[in-house]
Amino acid sequence: MHPLFDKDCELTAWIEPGRHIFDTTMNWVAFIHGGHVWSSETGNWLGPVSGMVCRDCAGRPLLWNPGQPVASSGRPAIPARAMRPMRPMIPMRPLRPARPARPGGPGGGWSQMTFLEWLEQAPFLSRPQPAQNLGGDAILADDIVPVPEATELAVDEKAPDGVGRDGD
């Protein structure tokens, strides 16, 4: 087990690299599969992981370990949903580590999310519908935007292109 710290060097979680993430009270909160972190509760994609640096869906670091450099990555493509593994045995709580020195700020900055916000992300990021990707390309988090509600134009109103509903 290795400690994970937030941008303020607060002990936030524990990582079993390549396998699981536990909170500080040793509750299983996430699993790692294919270089990505997934919520153990909802199965939602939380973002990529590189060794012991966990990033948000935009590629900005959220959790880190002093044994690895902290860096942002580009915005990752949303991976296919991972199958949830069996619940791991609860590990013994490791001794509280010393507070590390603050690392240099990563290019692109730190994630603005808290650990709890990261764990409770909206599920739509990990469940893209096939109709959203008719071209076969990877769907990026930036590609998923809310669709505004359609509004009716009155007969005498002009549409944004200057053409009225009756063609004038």
Side-chain angles (χ1 to χ4, degrees):
M1 279 298 182
H2 300 277
L4 291 175
F5 298 90
D6 65 12
K7 64 184 172 188
D8 297 319
C9 301
E10 295 291 331
L11 177 63
T12 306
W14 295 93
I15 188 170
E16 187 179 336
R19 301 197 60 201
H20 304 287
I21 296 176
F22 298 88
D23 66 14
T24 55
T25 58
M26 304 314 290
N27 292 308
W28 181 48
V29 295
F31 63 95
I32 299 169
H33 178 76
H36 295 274
V37 181
W38 306 85
S39 168
S40 62
E41 184 177 325
T42 65
N44 293 336
W45 176 60
L46 302 178
V49 61
S50 177
M52 293 186 285
V53 176
C54 300
R55 295 180 176 90
D56 64 16
C57 294
R60 291 183 301 267
L62 178 87
L63 301 175
W64 63 282
N65 179 279
Q68 188 171 350
V70 179
S72 293
S73 66
R75 186 173 295 276
I78 298 173
R81 193 172 189 82
M83 194 164 125
R84 192 176 320 183
M86 289 180 56
R87 179 176 293 280
M89 289 182 18
I90 298 172
M92 291 182 60
R93 187 183 318 216
L95 295 175
R96 187 170 187 86
R99 189 179 190 136
R102 186 178 302 268
W110 289 95
S111 174
Q112 296 303 305
M113 300 176 100
T114 66
F115 179 58
L116 291 177
E117 289 169 339
W118 183 64
L119 291 174
E120 297 171 354
Q121 289 182 67
F124 72 88
L125 287 176
S126 60
R127 296 185 188 150
Q129 300 299 313
Q132 292 174 302
N133 189 12
L134 298 176
D137 296 327
I139 299 172
L140 300 177
D142 277 347
D143 296 335
I144 302 173
V145 294
V147 178
E149 292 184 29
T151 57
E152 289 286 328
L153 293 175
V155 174
D156 60 346
E157 286 184 282
K158 299 284 185 189
D161 61 3
V163 178
R165 286 183 64 183
D166 56 4
D168 54 12

